[in-house]
Amino acid sequence: MLSVNLLLRSILGCLLVVCHHSLEHPTIPPALSYQETHVQVSDDVFLHTLEYGDSQSGAAPVVLFVHGFPDLSLSWQYHAQRLAEEGYFVVTPDLRGFGSSSMPKEGIAVYGRQHLMSDLDALRKHYCGENGSFALIVGHDFGGTIVWATLDKFGLKGDSPIAHSAVIFNAPHPRIFFKHISKPAQAIKSWYMFFFQIPWLPEVFLYETKFLYHLTAIHYRSPPMKSMIPSIVNVEENLAIYKEALTDYDRIHAMLSYYRGIKSGLWRELGVDMSKLTMLERLIRWLHGIPPVDDDSCQEASADSDETKDDDIRITIPTLVLWGEKDFALSKELATPPPEIVEHNTVEYFDDAGHCVHWEQPLETAERLIRFANAHNGNNNGGSSSNATATV
């Protein structure tokens, strides 16, 4: 009789452990496969792209994810597969110069804002047709700023919008960022952007120390990535891909070109008279291949900076900003664009996450992403005209 009681207690104990575990850790769906392809976005640039979901029927709404720095298309693997399970067709490209995408070597200008926005529009035409739109576009970090700028450009004058809705992870609208970069608090947080303007030295430092890879590995081996979602994200396999991409000298140079391409905008916002540059600045521009200020071709380079001149531009599609409050690089006040810039916007803060909120809280952000996508699929008139905020 005693042995029977012990057996029953053991069974009951096991059941309690299983129930407790299932309550703490939501059921993870099985891993989905993805297709790898290269999409031509200009005459000599092909973007390595991962595709999730069924593209055969052509009826699935298309979602585009845009990664940040220093990152790759794999950054979105978990979120992309979750959306694919919901019936979306998801594409996550490596931006030009990153990962396995083409790496133009014609100087900094080819990594300027106009080229990056054109890349996203070329992806739209490839996957959605000439007059089609993404159901949702998602961006993080530098990728988020590119999304903001693209929404500005391709939502004007009756043009087809780039997407029906957008989600931004820890990336300020460029017009908001440039208004805050001259403030001491944000200038200190953005110190690395100024460091990246120095020729050669940042490349040597990042190459010799493998800093970008080690920074990524810290995030990838964190408990959320390594323990909570192992059935979808193969951490060590992905890190091997990151290591190859983030320790290559030429790739590092290409990635830094994104920051060097916005230098003129940075200097102007800090009050520097671009017509009275010092010899040192002229030398730096020459080393980077940027036309001199008194050159007529500089006008084209200036137009390609991230300084937006048209303050009347307003984004009217529904947008959601997911923001980790512990961001080391961006002040919290940058999260909320005013209604005159973004008409239908909601901001949700994650108080226990930092700059890489999609990695630090993948389950929560994926669920919020799915709810937003389902609510606004194909609808570009929803939302509130005022900014709403919430803390998760």
Side-chain angles (χ1 to χ4, degrees):
M1 187 66 178
L2 181 61
S3 60
V4 173
N5 287 335
L6 289 174
L7 179 61
L8 290 175
R9 288 181 181 179
S10 298
I11 294 174
L12 180 60
C14 290
L15 288 174
L16 289 174
V17 170
V18 171
C19 291
H20 178 71
H21 180 77
S22 64
L23 288 173
E24 284 192 327
H25 303 283
T27 302
I28 304 300
L32 301 176
S33 60
Y34 56 79
Q35 303 284 339
E36 290 190 71
T37 187
H38 283 78
V39 178
Q40 185 173 7
V41 293
S42 65
D43 290 341
D44 56 352
V45 176
F46 292 79
L47 300 186
H48 171 251
T49 304
L50 307 182
E51 301 174 345
Y52 302 77
D54 180 17
S55 63
Q56 300 302 318
S57 65
V62 185
V63 177
L64 173 68
F65 282 84
V66 187
H67 68 78
F69 169 91
D71 222 332
L72 300 174
S73 54
L74 286 174
S75 171
W76 299 111
Q77 190 174 29
Y78 177 69
H79 296 75
Q81 293 186 119
R82 290 298 310 280
L83 276 171
E85 283 195 327
E86 294 290 318
Y88 294 90
F89 180 66
V90 184
V91 292
T92 66
D94 289 333
L95 294 173
R96 59 169 61 198
F98 286 75
S100 299
S101 290
S102 299
M103 184 171 50
K105 296 184 178 180
E106 292 83 5
I108 291 175
V110 295
Y111 294 96
R113 186 185 64 177
Q114 298 296 334
H115 290 283
L116 303 176
M117 291 190 298
S118 295
D119 287 352
L120 298 194
D121 194 46
L123 289 170
R124 176 190 65 81
K125 293 176 181 178
H126 177 82
Y127 285 106
C128 307
E130 185 70 27
N131 297 314
S133 303
F134 292 112
L136 173 68
I137 186 169
V138 184
H140 169 248
D141 184 69
F142 210 109
T145 65
I146 299 170
V147 170
W148 280 129
T150 307
L151 293 176
D152 273 347
K153 177 179 180 179
F154 292 101
L156 299 176
K157 301 176 183 178
D159 295 341
S160 297
I162 189 77
H164 291 301
S165 58
V167 176
I168 306 295
F169 288 81
N170 281 70
H173 190 287
R175 277 183 274 165
I176 302 301
F177 178 74
F178 282 117
K179 287 181 179 179
H180 285 81
I181 188 63
S182 59
K183 297 180 179 180
Q186 184 55 51
I188 292 173
K189 284 176 173 285
S190 299
W191 67 269
Y192 61 94
M193 297 181 66
F194 300 98
F195 172 63
F196 289 164
Q197 307 308 320
I198 304 172
W200 303 332
L201 180 60
E203 282 92 333
V204 172
F205 170 77
L206 296 174
Y207 175 75
E208 294 294 338
T209 63
K210 296 180 172 57
F211 179 82
L212 298 180
Y213 166 71
H214 292 307
L215 180 65
T216 301
I218 290 174
H219 281 292
Y220 244 80
R221 291 196 173 106
S222 65
M225 294 292 288
K226 194 172 180 63
S227 302
M228 296 176 69
I229 52 178
S231 63
I232 284 187
V233 177
N234 188 318
V235 173
E236 297 306 322
E237 181 178 300
N238 285 4
L239 279 178
I241 298 174
Y242 272 101
K243 186 173 185 178
E244 181 178 357
L246 300 180
T247 59
D248 180 87
Y249 187 91
D250 291 333
R251 290 284 175 188
I252 293 172
H253 176 73
M255 289 186 284
L256 295 183
S257 295
Y258 280 67
Y259 290 93
R260 290 164 179 166
I262 65 173
K263 177 163 60 173
S264 57
L266 281 173
W267 291 157
R268 269 190 288 271
E269 290 300 326
L270 290 173
V272 176
D273 186 348
M274 298 297 287
S275 65
K276 300 179 180 178
L277 294 174
T278 63
M279 290 302 296
L280 175 61
E281 171 63 12
R282 290 179 180 271
L283 176 61
I284 292 176
R285 291 177 69 88
W286 178 77
L287 291 171
H288 284 325
I290 303 176
V293 172
D294 55 358
D295 193 316
D296 291 338
S297 62
C298 182
Q299 298 301 320
E300 181 180 354
S302 296
D304 199 36
S305 75
D306 275 59
E307 182 186 24
T308 303
K309 297 181 177 61
D310 190 354
D311 290 333
D312 294 329
I313 297 174
R314 183 166 62 173
I315 298 169
T316 58
I317 65 171
T319 61
L320 171 67
V321 175
L322 301 180
W323 195 277
E325 292 193 44
K326 296 181 179 179
D327 195 323
F328 66 91
L330 298 168
S331 302
K332 183 179 178 179
E333 59 185 353
L334 297 177
T336 306
E340 58 267 24
I341 294 180
V342 183
E343 186 174 346
H344 306 300
N345 184 57
T346 300
V347 181
E348 294 187 8
Y349 295 103
F350 291 77
D351 57 8
D352 198 31
H355 185 68
C356 297
V357 60
H358 62 308
W359 282 2
E360 296 172 49
Q361 297 194 15
L363 299 178
E364 296 85 348
T365 53
E367 290 299 329
R368 187 63 190 92
L369 194 61
I370 290 171
R371 291 200 305 272
F372 182 82
N374 290 340
H376 296 285
N377 179 21
N379 173 24
N380 62 353
N381 294 314
S384 170
S385 61
S386 61
N387 286 327
T389 61
T391 301
V392 179

